[in-house]
Amino acid sequence: MNKIEHIGIAVNDLTQACSVYEKLFDTVCYKIEAVASEGVNTAFLKVGVNKIELLASTADESPIAKFLTKKGEGIHHIAFDVDDIYAEMKRLKAEGFTLLNDEPKKGADNKLICFVHPKEANGVLIELCQEIK
Ligand code: ZN
């Protein structure tokens, strides 16, 4: 794994959260993208070399909706950039981690993604992401 690619924050209202985070970081949301398969609407901000992904639910049964109901707004996941998501998934499976999807999925921001179950990562939801070339 190379570096933190972004930090995902679950929010109730994307428009409201964008305006808060734009003020907080003195920047602008540079991309808003819906990921229909995940039932989310995402917004991205850059803070120096770092990236923040705001996630709001667009479907009652989406993972983000469930997270918000259970835990409320806050940090949802930490995403790590990888060169070869298939190799990382294979390695993590062999190490006994539970992956939330068997095959990489198409995520927001032109990425192949896979989530690692938080139960084996001390409560932190880890996302692997590989840029689609
Ligand atoms: Zn993410």
Side-chain angles (χ1 to χ4, degrees):
M1 297 198 202
N2 299 321
K3 58 166 187 163
I4 292 178
E5 213 286 329
H6 62 267
I7 295 172
I9 298 174
V11 303
N12 291 325
D13 179 334
L14 201 64
T15 308
Q16 180 271 346
C18 273
S19 106
V20 168
Y21 278 79
E22 284 176 340
K23 270 183 249 168
L24 184 63
F25 297 126
D26 193 19
T27 185
V28 290
C29 280
Y30 66 90
K31 185 193 270 190
I32 290 185
E33 185 180 350
V35 184
S37 58
E38 294 293 300
V40 292
N41 217 353
T42 63
F44 290 90
L45 303 102
K46 277 195 181 115
V47 188
V49 296
N50 299 301
K51 200 162 79 182
I52 301 288
E53 175 184 37
L54 302 174
L55 305 128
S57 174
T58 56
D60 289 345
E61 286 303 297
S62 73
I64 290 294
K66 286 179 187 156
F67 178 90
L68 287 166
T69 303
K70 221 167 127 189
K71 297 191 172 174
E73 293 183 297
I75 293 182
H76 177 257
H77 65 271
I78 303 179
F80 290 84
D81 176 60
V82 300
D83 293 324
D84 182 345
I85 196 167
Y86 292 92
E88 274 307 321
M89 287 171 70
K90 197 174 159 197
R91 185 183 71 80
L92 291 171
K93 253 189 231 169
E95 291 283 4
F97 290 95
T98 305
L99 305 180
L100 295 189
N101 40 298
D102 289 329
E103 290 292 321
K105 292 191 287 194
K106 174 92 172 57
D109 207 24
N110 197 40
K111 299 280 194 294
L112 282 177
I113 64 166
C114 175
F115 285 100
V116 181
H117 200 292
K119 73 181 177 188
E120 287 124 3
N122 302 77
V124 178
L125 178 61
I126 305 281
E127 177 186 344
L128 308 177
C129 61
Q130 179 186 342
E131 179 117 46
I132 300 169
K133 297 261 158 67

